[in-house]
Amino acid sequence: MAGDVRGEDKKREIVRQAFDRFYDGGFHATGVDAVLSESGISKRTLYKYFPTKDDLIEAVLEFYGQFIVGKLFDPVAASNEEPRQQIMAIFDARKAMIDENPTRGCLGIKAAQEFVGKHAGLAAHGKHAALYVERRFVDLCERAGLARPAEVGKQINVLFQGALLLSQVYGDGSPFVSAKHAVAALLEADDEPTPSDRQ
Amino acid sequence: MAGDVRGEDKKREIVRQAFDRFYDGGFHATGVDAVLSESGISKRTLYKYFPTKDDLIEAVLEFYGQFIVGKLFDPVAASNEEPRQQIMAIFDARKAMIDENPTRGCLGIKAAQEFVGKHAGLAAHGKHAALYVERRFVDLCERAGLARPAEVGKQINVLFQGALLLSQVYGDGSPFVSAKHAVAALLEADDEPTPSDRQ
DNA sequence: AAGCATGTAAACAGATCGGTTTACTTCGCC
DNA sequence: GGCGAAGTAAACCGATCTGTTTACATGCTT
């Protein structure tokens, strides 16, 4: 139906606007009025589609998840390069996004930080997002034929999240350079049969 | 003067209470009323010592910095163990703190996330804290006689911050285990003269 | 042209925000 | 014993918060 399509379009537009505002201003610090002002959307329409602010935040977090998968992970996966190259490419691509917008870290992490211990549903989005990223890295480590893909994948995820966080705090993507070097070293170390067999 | 001492004591008590509230509730989401209720402190006294909420937050962040240095870094440094052991001990000690209080990550990072782009002074605390930690790791890498202490120290810091963040998001300290393994691998890799000269 | 869904604009309500003020208590000191 | 510093308790202020309501414009369908 045409009506549904228009409604869904409006919904997406609201989420889009809210996405930018929450990303830059934080969830608690950004009121719904701030989301609406200069957006051409009326409050009534907002509350028609999202009965509470939390519902809107949830939709924004879902949008962010799709956004990051579509912009970061899927393109790299579609490149059909070597698994190791793909891991490096993910770090490069995320660094490029940070360089473009230095204050925008991970929105899921932001939500987790703001809602942990007080809104389980919203905090869970951050956890889910981090676990998804970890799984993608573990998959790539398996395909790369590493000796301990699960362990190294987790380590790479720690580096990824740490670099993302520090980039936001520092205001530039330089931590991704360090992280990438560390990833290279870890990948190389796990190629050999018994890497830590000395005490 | 006795009056000053009592005043300073009160000030510390206020900061202590605010520390717990902000740590668990976030800076924006926790009102000053929430800090005061059930604390036996009156609003007037609070605003006598801290003219604005931001001043209070600043004091809390300074307190957090001293707290973490005194509880984490200084004891490890005083142990006089091998530099490598000290690096590992820092990860162990931070993990122990997380296991005790899983939802409490790094307060400086929390502040940076909430105030980046909207309150430079407060956001700078997170940056300063992260740089301090990085410097401690670089120092230890130098004392360990690594080939590239600055680079490896930065990498270890990325692992540290990533593990801290993921621990908070996951709700347990397991990422520190992965991070520690990665640190061990990185330290070992940088021991050899030409680490990427695989034969 | 009538009807209806969809939208904007804006006043409004109750709660809570950061912050001020008034009034009263308590404690140490000369 | 009185006085002032330092404290609590609580009413109060204007602004802002989430969310509701009223009123009006617009455009599609039949």
Side-chain angles (χ1 to χ4, degrees):
Chain A
M1 295 177 190
D4 275 5
V5 171
R6 199 170 50 180
E8 284 300 311
D9 279 354
K10 202 70 194 171
K11 213 169 169 179
R12 263 190 291 271
E13 187 197 339
I14 294 172
V15 170
R16 252 262 163 224
Q17 294 275 356
F19 173 77
D20 284 326
R21 295 296 190 138
F22 286 140
Y23 217 149
D24 292 330
F27 294 101
H28 283 99
T30 304
V32 293
D33 287 347
V35 172
L36 298 175
S37 75
E38 303 176 17
S39 78
I41 301 164
S42 80
K43 217 178 208 179
R44 178 158 198 183
T45 305
L46 167 67
Y47 277 98
K48 175 184 174 186
Y49 291 112
F50 305 100
T52 70
K53 186 188 179 184
D54 285 352
D55 290 327
L56 174 62
I57 292 175
E58 183 132 22
V60 166
L61 290 176
E62 269 164 32
F63 173 79
Y64 172 73
Q66 294 167 9
F67 167 75
I68 214 75
V69 169
K71 181 154 183 177
L72 193 67
F73 288 98
D74 284 350
V76 171
S79 72
N80 282 329
E81 290 194 35
E82 283 276 323
R84 281 156 222 264
Q85 304 273 349
Q86 286 192 30
I87 292 173
M88 296 303 186
I90 290 170
F91 276 72
D92 286 334
R94 196 66 183 86
K95 178 181 187 304
M97 288 174 67
I98 278 281
D99 287 337
E100 226 176 80
N101 230 319
T103 66
R104 290 190 172 182
C106 174
L107 195 62
I109 294 298
K110 201 166 192 163
Q113 292 248 9
E114 286 198 40
F115 294 110
V116 65
K118 54 192 330 186
H119 193 308
L122 293 179
H125 268 273
K127 182 172 181 174
H128 178 268
L131 285 171
Y132 174 83
V133 174
E134 181 181 305
R135 195 173 348 115
R136 303 280 305 223
F137 281 130
V138 171
D139 279 356
L140 287 169
C141 285
E142 280 171 2
R143 259 179 278 170
L146 293 189
R148 294 147 36 249
E151 170 61 23
V152 178
K154 281 183 190 176
Q155 294 174 6
I156 293 174
N157 188 42
V158 174
L159 283 164
F160 184 78
Q161 306 291 346
L164 188 45
L165 181 77
L166 284 176
S167 294
Q168 187 188 2
V169 172
Y170 288 164
D172 71 281
S174 63
F176 272 99
V177 179
S178 297
K180 240 182 86 173
H181 290 160
V183 168
L186 293 177
L187 289 177
E188 198 166 332
D190 202 61
D191 253 351
E192 290 138 34
T194 50
S196 62
D197 256 15
R198 93 186 240 308
Q199 59 167 43
Chain B
M1 285 184 184
D4 276 3
V5 171
R6 200 171 49 180
E8 284 301 311
D9 279 353
K10 204 68 194 174
K11 213 169 168 179
R12 264 190 290 270
E13 187 197 340
I14 294 172
V15 170
R16 252 263 167 221
Q17 294 273 357
F19 173 76
D20 284 327
R21 294 296 189 141
F22 286 140
Y23 218 150
D24 292 331
F27 295 101
H28 282 98
T30 304
V32 293
D33 288 346
V35 172
L36 298 174
S37 75
E38 303 175 17
S39 76
I41 302 164
S42 79
K43 218 178 205 179
R44 179 160 197 180
T45 305
L46 167 66
Y47 277 97
K48 175 183 173 187
Y49 291 112
F50 304 100
T52 70
K53 187 188 180 186
D54 285 352
D55 291 326
L56 175 61
I57 292 174
E58 183 130 23
V60 166
L61 289 175
E62 269 164 32
F63 173 80
Y64 172 73
Q66 293 167 8
F67 167 76
I68 214 75
V69 169
K71 181 155 184 177
L72 192 67
F73 288 98
D74 284 350
V76 170
S79 72
N80 282 328
E81 291 194 36
E82 284 275 322
R84 281 156 223 264
Q85 304 273 351
Q86 286 191 31
I87 292 172
M88 296 302 186
I90 290 170
F91 276 72
D92 286 335
R94 197 63 183 89
K95 178 182 186 305
M97 289 174 66
I98 278 280
D99 287 337
E100 227 176 79
N101 231 318
T103 65
R104 289 190 173 183
C106 174
L107 195 62
I109 294 297
K110 201 166 192 161
Q113 292 249 8
E114 286 198 41
F115 294 110
V116 66
K118 55 193 326 187
H119 191 308
L122 293 179
H125 268 273
K127 183 172 182 174
H128 177 269
L131 284 172
Y132 175 84
V133 173
E134 180 181 304
R135 197 176 345 118
R136 303 280 305 222
F137 281 130
V138 171
D139 279 356
L140 287 169
C141 285
E142 280 171 1
R143 258 178 279 171
L146 293 188
R148 295 148 34 250
E151 169 61 23
V152 178
K154 282 184 190 176
Q155 294 173 6
I156 292 173
N157 187 42
V158 174
L159 283 164
F160 184 79
Q161 305 292 346
L164 188 46
L165 180 78
L166 285 176
S167 293
Q168 187 187 2
V169 173
Y170 289 164
D172 71 280
S174 62
F176 272 98
V177 180
S178 297
K180 240 183 86 174
H181 290 159
V183 169
L186 292 178
L187 289 177
E188 199 166 333
D190 202 61
D191 248 352
E192 292 138 33
T194 48
S196 58
D197 261 13
R198 65 188 305 254
Q199 60 267 69

